[in-house]
Amino acid sequence: MSKSILITGGAGFIGSHVVQLFVEKYPEYQIVNLDALTYAGNLENLKSVEGAANYIFEKADIQDADALDSIFAKHNITDVIHLAAESHVDRSISDPMAFVKTNVFGTVNLLNSAKKAWAGELENHLFYHVSTDEVYGSLHDGGFFLETTPYDPQSPYSASKAASDHFVRAYANTYKMKTVVSNCSNNYGPNHFPEKLIPLCINNIKNSKPLPVYGKGENVRDWLFVKDHARAIDTVFHKGKAGETYNIGGFNEWKNIDIVKLLCKKMDEKLGREPGTSEKLITYVTDRAGHDLRYAIDATKIQKELGWEPSLQFDEGIEITIDWYLANEEWLDHVTSGSYQEYYSELYGKG
Ligand SMILES: NC(=O)c1ccc[n+]([C@@H]2O[C@H](COP(=O)([O-])OP(=O)(O)OC[C@H]3O[C@@H](n4cnc5c(N)ncnc54)[C@H](O)[C@@H]3O)[C@@H](O)[C@H]2O)c1
């Protein structure tokens, strides 16, 4: 195999699309998916590739340095695409330390294992760190986040991601590791754990349950279809310049309340309900503490320098997403009941 790529967090939402893309598009690469299978990691996301000759799964925690060292050695890892993280802002507010442990400590462990495994030939290996636009803070007066926008994280989640980004750049500067970082806007699409806005609303509309909207729903996010993010990661991995940062986004800003209303309208149509039925489920709840008002990415650099741009318009992507959730009731049931976690034992035995 020409490369042996360690993809961390490959059983999660974005990671599962990245693993699928790499396994299918690059049969000449060995893809090692390392995931701790937390509540957010679901191997059912990877059914389409689990039997592929170039795919290997390793259940491990990035907080466990010894486990990382042995996985690097066992699979002769040549490159890393690092997505494993605690990713839900609300959880970071109730348990910040879990975010420090995985996002900061875990990332530094991974950098150390890579540095050790690649000693003497660091220039031949890439450590690609996947991050978020939330590290830039909140926009209040128009404008966009650029790669040069100073970091100003506002939640424990974004603070932990910002710290991990800084460590990656520090390793590039101090130890001359070949690294690249990308910061992406909000993703939506299949395989998204239904604690996040879009899948949560789809699931609740389907079950005629209340649709909780923070504050007045005025917060603005820039939404990108997850497979377009996976394509961007492929592009940055292969064409990105070492030491650079690339912002990834869809130039697609929506207020939360408008997204929720759009989902209500489309789902009423698809479920054959009277127009306006699902909007009655909207329930305004106390705003999230320190809720960032607006995120918006300027993705010009990756478009101009690397030739990536989103392939889907939002209207198309949201249709695909709703249809996927409606067609994959079993996935949704397993995730909401917690029984998806038994899939690992069925597939790989206990352990
Ligand atoms: N979801 C978004 O909109 C978004 C946007 C931009 C960037 N990101 C970044 O992309 C990455 C993936 O996000 P996601 O939404 O797919 O997250 P996710 O929560 O769906 O998946 C995270 C995965 O990491 C695994 N994991 C968690 N802790 C681990 C640990 N200690 N060791 C090994 N594995 C562990 C989980 O089991 C899960 O499979 C994250 O780094 C996130 O910060 C996400």
Side-chain angles (χ1 to χ4, degrees):
M1 297 265 176
S2 60
K3 286 182 190 291
S4 176
I5 305 174
L6 183 70
I7 300 184
T8 69
F13 168 45
I14 301 170
S16 61
H17 291 279
V18 176
V19 166
Q20 258 170 45
L21 185 154
F22 273 75
V23 168
E24 283 163 7
K25 186 169 170 188
Y26 301 107
E28 71 277 23
Y29 295 170
Q30 169 170 277
I31 303 302
V32 181
N33 171 17
L34 182 161
D35 199 295
L37 299 183
T38 69
Y39 80 94
N42 181 357
L43 288 178
E44 291 185 30
N45 296 342
L46 291 163
K47 277 187 174 166
S48 65
V49 297
E50 68 194 16
N54 63 337
Y55 172 71
I56 295 167
F57 175 68
E58 286 281 2
K59 183 170 190 250
D61 192 320
I62 57 170
Q63 295 174 52
D64 181 347
D66 293 340
L68 295 182
D69 285 346
S70 57
I71 288 169
F72 269 81
K74 182 172 156 198
H75 299 295
N76 200 11
I77 299 298
T78 57
D79 303 87
V80 170
I81 304 178
H82 176 36
L83 295 109
E86 287 290 341
S87 69
H88 189 40
V89 176
D90 287 343
R91 288 177 188 257
S92 81
I93 293 169
S94 51
D95 183 10
M97 194 51 85
F99 286 66
V100 175
K101 286 181 182 161
T102 284
N103 299 0
V104 187
F105 181 71
T107 299
V108 178
N109 268 340
L110 200 56
L111 284 162
N112 284 340
S113 290
K115 182 160 80 68
K116 232 188 284 178
W118 303 338
E121 47 170 42
L122 286 171
E123 68 285 0
N124 297 333
H125 304 279
L126 179 67
F127 188 104
Y128 178 0
H129 178 61
V130 175
S131 192
T132 165
D133 62 352
E134 302 192 27
V135 296
Y136 297 122
S138 181
L139 291 164
H140 290 271
D141 308 316
F144 293 90
F145 296 134
L146 294 165
E147 286 80 356
T148 49
T149 301
Y151 275 26
D152 186 21
Q154 299 290 319
S155 72
Y157 164 64
S158 53
S160 68
K161 289 297 292 187
S164 65
D165 295 10
H166 289 319
F167 268 103
V168 173
R169 294 191 183 105
Y171 272 56
N173 180 58
T174 310
Y175 306 111
K176 309 301 170 215
M177 278 180 77
K178 209 171 123 189
T179 66
V180 70
V181 177
S182 61
N183 297 83
C184 188
S185 62
N186 279 39
N187 286 212
Y188 69 96
N191 301 354
H192 209 180
F193 196 83
E195 64 183 351
K196 308 271 171 84
L197 182 72
I198 290 179
L200 183 138
C201 285
I202 294 174
N203 190 33
N204 285 13
I205 293 170
K206 190 179 119 215
N207 296 308
S208 299
K209 282 166 62 176
L211 303 174
V213 173
Y214 280 131
K216 294 188 179 128
E218 294 290 311
N219 305 72
V220 176
R221 300 292 181 260
D222 169 6
W223 292 93
L224 181 69
F225 190 61
V226 64
K227 285 181 192 287
D228 276 330
H229 187 190
R231 286 177 46 250
I233 289 173
D234 179 18
T235 303
V236 171
F237 179 81
H238 287 99
K239 297 195 200 159
K241 266 176 57 189
E244 290 290 320
T245 296
Y246 296 92
N247 280 353
I248 304 168
F251 286 110
N252 175 42
E253 289 182 53
W254 285 78
K255 280 186 186 170
N256 285 349
I257 187 64
D258 293 335
I259 292 255
V260 176
K261 287 184 176 168
L262 177 76
L263 291 170
C264 289
K265 182 166 166 284
K266 286 194 178 282
M267 297 250 330
D268 280 348
E269 284 163 18
K270 287 182 192 289
L271 297 171
R273 294 179 182 165
E274 280 289 300
T277 308
S278 299
E279 272 202 27
K280 293 189 191 121
L281 299 169
I282 293 175
T283 310
Y284 294 96
V285 298
T286 310
D287 206 355
R288 169 190 280 165
H291 204 170
D292 290 339
L293 181 66
R294 173 173 169 257
Y295 306 139
I297 277 278
D298 183 334
T300 308
K301 178 176 170 181
I302 185 173
Q303 286 183 352
K304 287 221 165 112
E305 292 185 12
L306 306 186
W308 170 90
E309 54 183 37
S311 68
L312 282 186
Q313 296 296 317
F314 187 63
D315 202 54
E316 256 175 297
I318 208 75
E319 286 281 339
I320 293 172
T321 304
I322 296 172
D323 290 345
W324 186 86
Y325 281 95
L326 292 178
N328 286 275
E329 289 203 2
E330 198 186 42
W331 183 95
L332 205 48
D333 291 344
H334 285 182
V335 167
T336 44
S337 70
S339 61
Y340 70 99
Q341 287 178 330
E342 288 156 20
Y343 188 71
Y344 170 75
S345 341
E346 274 169 34
L347 207 61
Y348 296 98
K350 304 266 176 226

